[in-house]
Amino acid sequence: MENAQPFPAPLVRTINLSRQYNMGASVIRAVDNVSVEIARGEFVALLGASGSGKSTLLHLLAGLDRPTSGSIEVAGRELGQLSAQELARYRRHTVGMVFQSFNLVPSMTLEENVELPMLFAEVDRQERRTRARQALERVGLAARMRHRPSEISGGEQQRASLARALVNEPVLLLADEPTGNLDSRTGEEIMSLIREFNQTLQMTVLLVTHEAPLADRFARRVLQMGDGKLIAPQVTSVASEAAQ
Amino acid sequence: MKAYDLFDLASRNLRESVLRNGLTTAGIAVGVASLLAMLSLGVGLQQLAGKRLSGSGLFDTIAVSPQRTSGRDRGGETPHDGEPRILDEAARQHIVRLPNVVDVQPEIRFLSEVRFRDRSHVVSVGGLAPSARDNEAFEKMQGTFFSSAAAREAILKNELAKQLNEGNPPAVIGQELVIRYAERRPLPPSTPADSESEDGSAAGDEDYGFTVVRREEKLRITGIIDNEPYGGMRSSSRAGVFIPTQLAEELNIMQASDVSGASRTGASGKTYASLMVRVSDPTKAQAVEDAIGKMGFRTFSILDASQGLRRFFTILDLFLGIFGSLALAVASLGIINTLVMAVLERRREIGIMKAIGASDKDVQKLFFAEAGAMGLAGGVAGVLLGHAIGAAINFGTGIYLQRHQLPPETVWAAPLWLIAAAISFAIVVSLVSGLYPARRAARLDPVQALRYE
Ligand SMILES: Nc1ncnc2c1ncn2[C@@H]1O[C@H](COP(=O)(O)OP(=O)(O)O)[C@@H](O)[C@H]1O
Ligand SMILES: [Mg+2]
């Protein structure tokens, strides 16, 4: 990778990033002036109370939402300058997303769910099959391929959604409270799996969570959010730390 | 997203709520069926009327006659530049060469004494051109039509056949009939003039004349008809015996017009009281009629009546089409409703698809494809349903006609172009109906959709 460079450019860099909602007269600053850098290969946890703006920040980084002001640069591209079509491409190839409520398509089997991102990436049917199978094997669900989400447990659903997130081989994994709907044991399994992706696939991870102990155990760096702002450890370049 | 993946995904989504989408598709099918049934009824009726009309031989034929003596009724006639002309051989050849003219035949009709098994009957004899074979009078004839254009053959009207052979009229077919006629034999040009012409310029005229010789000809009877050809609308069709027009011409059978023609200035040979001009297509009749009118002849056709009929069918088609489309319009509201519901219901799914990389266009195309697939399925089902309705209409009409001792007719006909048009129309209507829901789906904010629990 780019480890050979003396000062490798961060994978993610936001500068004075803000996202506001106008509710009549009042303005809600869901994300307020956030400047942060995440190096390639890092595993960063994002902690914060409910309503502190964690999901909004994640959506901005995922290219699902557009900032009110400020800039977001991911893998050398300024997201604010991308067209809607380019942003869709970015979501398809550069980021993978995992949600608290799994967000699998209920009418589709696990295999079909995992194939779905490749459908939009126009991958051949044959290759889609192979890659979906491999991804499901990787999360230990090869036997459950033809099941629908309603037929399997929450932990299994979250594994399937992880398989879906990694199938297009993104460089950045954005996880929004992936363990929030799981018991602690299953939650830890999921966290281990994410750490495995981070280590073996060199996937950079930004993971939102409530649970500080979990963040401390798995993440190399912990960010804190409150009222849309980043608190505690402010912008720090931790590239050296990231390189295992 | 690739086209076949799109179609795959769309059809699996449709199958997901099979009852609702099935009902919506059934709505389109009913709309298409009603449109198809209505338009096909129009087409069928038009074909039926067209068949009857062209079978009557009235709409593709123009009757040509010379101008009446100038001055008297000039005002009412169609204006033309030429002097009133005599309808002679030169004029006939001229008309034959006009574009879209199939043939030009004189009207042959004369009184004759015919002999059959040593008994004589005075009957009127009419000429029939080869094209008369298509006339509906010959559709159900006994025996056959003339074997060639100038065959020495005769076709009898059934009344005459009964007279000739009371016990068994059809038995006359194949037997011999002798007709007696006056042959018109031109005089040699060097006849000495008895009377001097006062007008020197017309001197050549005075050489013209002919003698009349009584002749007989044996003809073989080939058939018997029940109805008068051309519905009795022509003088030649009101006869007891019919012979080929060309035979009458070859035999130089004298006509009443020969006498009147001989007394007219400028006639230098055979003249005709009238000529029947057949055109290739009723729609070409007007142009041919105009051209003949310019030559200085009077023309007559039933074109005006046929134009009125065409207008009637155009308006009928329009109304049938509007009523048929109404059902399809209702069906299109069904599509809009179903898809708008689907967008609301699948909000989250749309959000997920966008989050994992679907573009707005992908989402729009997906809903569009779903609308199109319903249109296609509804269109095909509608055509089948329409066919069933049409078969029922034809069946019902058949029974009704049979009760009234009438031959069966096809009143409902769906030509291939109409079927193709109905299916295409269903798809287009569905796509247009899908426009709004698809846009709505495409513009859905994924963040809102995913937040929504
Ligand atoms: N569409 C919206 N309109 C108005 N306010 C919003 C909207 N979306 C989010 N917010 C507000 O923005 C803030 C941050 O929300 P969110 O990012 O979901 O927080 P978290 O994920 O940390 O719980 C909250 O106060 C929330 O109410
Ligand atoms: Mg949240």
Side-chain angles (χ1 to χ4, degrees), chain B residues 118 227 239 294 338:
Chain B
D118 301 324
N227 300 317
K294 275 217 183 79
T338 298

Side-chain angles (χ1 to χ4, degrees), chain A residues 50-51 54-56 100 176-177 208, chain B residues 451:
Chain A
S50 180
K54 308 179 296 291
S55 294
T56 306
Q100 177 177 1
D176 194 352
E177 302 193 37
V208 169
Chain B
R451 195 182 292 273

Side-chain angles (χ1 to χ4, degrees), chain B residues 106-186:
Chain B
E107 282 271 86
I108 302 288
R109 186 165 185 243
F110 59 95
L111 221 54
S112 164
E113 196 181 296
V114 304
R115 223 168 49 241
F116 181 77
R117 289 181 189 155
D118 301 324
R119 280 184 61 187
S120 291
H121 310 261
V122 175
V123 294
S124 113
V125 180
L128 286 176
S131 60
R133 180 195 295 270
D134 303 330
N135 191 267
E136 55 195 347
F138 300 97
E139 253 173 37
K140 294 187 187 76
M141 72 181 292
Q142 294 168 273
T144 57
F145 196 74
F146 305 131
S147 57
S148 68
R152 281 171 162 66
E153 289 168 351
I155 291 172
L156 306 186
K157 191 73 201 314
N158 61 350
E159 284 94 347
L160 182 66
K162 269 179 214 153
Q163 268 183 47
L164 298 185
N165 194 6
E166 267 177 63
N168 184 12
V172 304
I173 294 174
Q175 302 209 21
E176 203 168 76
L177 179 82
V178 177
I179 63 162
R180 220 173 231 209
Y181 63 94
E183 185 192 328
R184 170 187 165 284
R185 192 178 283 175

Side-chain angles (χ1 to χ4, degrees), chain A residues 19 21-23 28-31 48-57 59 176-177 208 210 225, chain B residues 445 447-448 451:
Chain A
R19 176 66 168 101
Y21 292 104
N22 294 310
M23 302 293 284
I28 297 169
R29 293 183 163 81
V31 171
S50 180
S52 58
K54 308 179 296 291
S55 294
T56 306
L57 179 62
H59 291 146
D176 194 352
E177 302 193 37
V208 169
H210 276 329
M225 262 187 107
Chain B
D445 178 4
V447 174
Q448 294 305 317
R451 195 182 292 273

Side-chain angles (χ1 to χ4, degrees), chain A residues 37-59:
Chain A
E37 287 185 3
I38 300 171
R40 280 180 192 274
E42 259 197 297
F43 190 137
V44 178
L46 184 58
L47 281 169
S50 180
S52 58
K54 308 179 296 291
S55 294
T56 306
L57 179 62
L58 225 59
H59 291 146

